[in-house]
């Protein structure tokens, strides 16, 4: 009987809840009016281009029909079919290499920046003279624009550049000066500069997380005889797990959509980085605009977006407990 009365009470209270919601809107009408322009702007910036991209992927939009734009001939799913099965499709050419390189690039860079950022955050969290200056100096790679990073590292990777000079002439780690911007070495020529520029941002994020962990926990662990490695494994990592989960997603998405460093290192987007340097974004940009195949390019971009949504779904299922606990 008590359960029935409680159920009846909730059912009768539903209209009241709706009244309270509308009353709350009326009471905060000015605040909602202030938020409304931002909401409209965000819809214009994100939602409308997405809808336009989906429609473009269904059109035969190329150099011959570009004047018609969104009124170009409708071809349905032909662009998707061509990308998946038509070997003569110009946009499809080289995408297999780009998918492989992007997968390697995204995984290695994500792991590299997170490990490097966490290690440096632990180091910068210690109390030592000049800590503030050291923290500021560590941020310099992140402050440099990605365009400048691509150009500078492009010169450094030259056969007679500073990297080969250090490896061969100074450190004597190699006998010959390799070509870093050609062949399989190219993947490392784009991975290392990206890690070099990205880890300071992760250092700042992890450093903020480390400073929220009470010192009493470490003091108690030290009294119990736990050494630094056990403290890191059983205290630091579990406490930082929500931050690590969020940054893992951000880094994967950011690295899959990486473009600037590769495009500037190889001819400002016009050059071909080769089979081991081409990423999905540079390949799609070059192929779509080079062949004016905007319909196929939009289809490829949409397929990549769906793939990333699947990655987000797997990520959420993996870290759902940690995210809901926050």
């Amino acid at each position: 009987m008590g359960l029935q009365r409680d159920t009846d009470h909730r059912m009768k209270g539903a209209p009241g809840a709706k009244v309270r919601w509308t009353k709350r809107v009326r009471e905060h009408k000015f605040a909602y009016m202030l938020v409304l322009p931002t909401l409209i702007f965000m819809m214009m910036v994100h939602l409308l281009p997405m809808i336009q991209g989906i429609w473009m992927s269904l059109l035969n939009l190329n150099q011959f029909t570009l004047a018609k734009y969104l009124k170009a001939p409708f071809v349905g799913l032909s662009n998707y079919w061509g990308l998946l099965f038509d070997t003569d499709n110009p946009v499809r050419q080289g995408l297999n290499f780009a998918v492989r390189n992007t997968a390697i690039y995204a995984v290695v860079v994500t792991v590299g920046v997170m490990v490097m950022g966490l290690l440096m955050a632990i180091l910068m969290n210690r109390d030592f003279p000049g800590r503030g200056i050291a923290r500021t100096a560590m941020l310099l790679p992140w402050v440099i624009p990605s365009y400048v990073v691509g150009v500078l590292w492009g010169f450094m990777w030259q056969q007679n550049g500073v990297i080969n000079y250090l490896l061969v002439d100074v450190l004597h780690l190699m006998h010959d000066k390799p070509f870093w911007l050609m062949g399989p070495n190219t993947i490392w020529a784009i991975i290392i500069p990206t890690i070099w520029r990205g880890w300071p941002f992760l250092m700042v994020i992890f450093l903020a997380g480390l400073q929220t962990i009470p010192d009493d926990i470490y003091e108690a662990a030290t009294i119990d005889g736990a050494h630094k490695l056990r403290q890191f494994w059983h205290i630091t990592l579990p406490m930082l797990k929500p931050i690590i989960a969020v940054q893992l997603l951000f880094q994967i998405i950011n690295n899959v959509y990486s473009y600037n460093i590769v495009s500037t290192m190889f001819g400002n987007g016009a050059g071909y980085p080769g089979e081991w340097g081409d990423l999905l974004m540079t390949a799609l940009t070059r192929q779509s605009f080079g062949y004016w195949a905007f319909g196929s390019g939009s289809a490829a971009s949409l397929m990549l977006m769906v793939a990333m949504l699947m990655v987000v779904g797997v990520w959420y299922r993996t870290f759902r407990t940690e995210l809901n606990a926050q």
Side-chain angles (χ1 to χ4, degrees):
M1 293 296 293
L3 180 61
Q4 181 65 33
R5 287 195 300 269
D6 184 64
T7 304
D8 295 341
H9 177 74
R10 288 199 302 268
M11 293 179 63
K12 293 179 181 179
K18 182 176 180 180
V19 173
R20 288 194 298 271
W21 183 82
T22 56
K23 181 181 179 181
R24 187 162 60 249
V25 172
R26 288 196 300 269
E27 290 177 351
H28 303 284
K29 181 172 62 176
F30 181 69
Y32 284 105
M33 290 177 61
L34 292 177
V35 174
L36 185 61
T38 302
L39 180 61
I40 295 175
F41 178 77
M42 294 299 291
M43 291 181 62
M44 293 176 60
V45 171
H46 295 285
L47 187 59
L48 293 181
M50 184 183 300
I51 296 175
Q52 178 177 288
I54 295 173
W55 178 246
M56 288 172 59
S57 69
L58 304 176
L59 304 177
N60 183 23
L61 188 60
N62 51 40
Q63 68 269 36
F64 303 108
T65 60
L66 186 59
K68 299 179 180 180
Y69 196 37
L70 297 180
K71 295 183 180 180
F74 181 83
V75 293
L77 299 178
S78 296
N79 290 326
Y80 296 94
W81 179 269
L83 287 172
L84 294 174
F85 304 106
D86 186 7
T87 56
D88 295 329
N89 189 306
V91 179
R92 187 179 186 273
Q93 297 176 5
L95 282 188
N96 293 335
F97 298 124
V99 170
R100 178 201 60 192
N101 297 338
T102 303
I104 298 173
Y105 175 88
V107 171
V108 176
V109 171
T110 299
V111 174
V113 295
M114 295 193 70
V115 171
M116 189 77 175
L118 181 56
L119 293 178
M120 295 306 298
I122 295 174
L123 180 62
M124 292 296 107
N125 196 40
R126 298 174 178 269
D127 189 12
F128 59 90
R131 183 175 62 174
I133 298 176
R135 288 178 176 179
T136 304
M138 293 296 176
L139 293 176
L140 289 179
W142 184 49
V143 174
I144 300 175
S146 56
Y147 174 85
V148 178
V149 173
V151 173
L152 289 180
W153 278 84
F155 284 110
M156 292 168 61
W157 285 124
Q158 297 293 329
Q159 189 177 20
N160 293 322
V162 64
I163 294 177
N164 278 339
Y165 173 76
L166 292 174
L167 293 176
V168 178
D169 299 332
V170 177
L171 301 176
H172 303 290
L173 297 177
M174 296 181 177
H175 297 289
D176 300 319
K177 295 183 178 180
F179 292 93
W180 291 102
L181 300 179
M182 295 176 60
N185 291 331
T186 312
I187 189 69
W188 297 108
I190 61 177
I191 285 177
I192 293 176
T194 310
I195 295 176
W196 177 81
R197 185 180 185 270
W199 70 261
F201 175 76
L202 273 299
M203 182 196 70
V204 174
I205 299 297
F206 289 137
L207 183 59
L210 288 172
Q211 293 177 349
T212 63
I213 303 176
D215 294 334
D216 297 342
I217 300 178
Y218 292 105
E219 293 176 0
T222 303
I223 294 174
D224 291 338
H227 51 74
K228 294 296 183 181
L229 184 59
R230 289 182 62 87
Q231 292 180 21
F232 172 78
W233 190 259
H234 295 285
I235 298 176
T236 305
L237 279 184
M239 298 291 284
L240 292 179
K241 196 171 183 180
I243 299 176
I244 293 174
V246 174
Q247 291 304 316
L248 177 65
L249 177 66
F250 287 173
Q251 290 300 315
I252 290 176
I253 294 176
N254 183 62
N255 293 322
V256 168
Y257 289 106
S258 183
Y259 176 82
N260 288 344
I261 291 179
V262 179
S263 65
T264 53
M265 191 178 294
F266 295 92
N268 202 17
Y272 174 54
E275 294 182 0
W276 286 95
D278 211 13
L279 299 180
L280 275 172
M281 287 296 99
T282 55
L284 290 178
T285 302
R286 185 181 62 256
Q287 301 294 78
S288 299
F289 286 89
Y291 294 97
W292 293 55
F294 301 111
S296 297
S298 299
S301 300
L302 189 62
M303 291 170 62
L304 178 59
M305 184 187 71
V306 172
M308 293 309 302
L309 288 176
M310 295 173 63
V311 171
V312 172
V314 173
W315 167 87
Y316 182 76
R317 288 182 63 89
T318 303
F319 297 100
R320 178 170 52 189
T321 303
E322 289 77 11
L323 296 173
N324 292 336
Q326 295 302 305

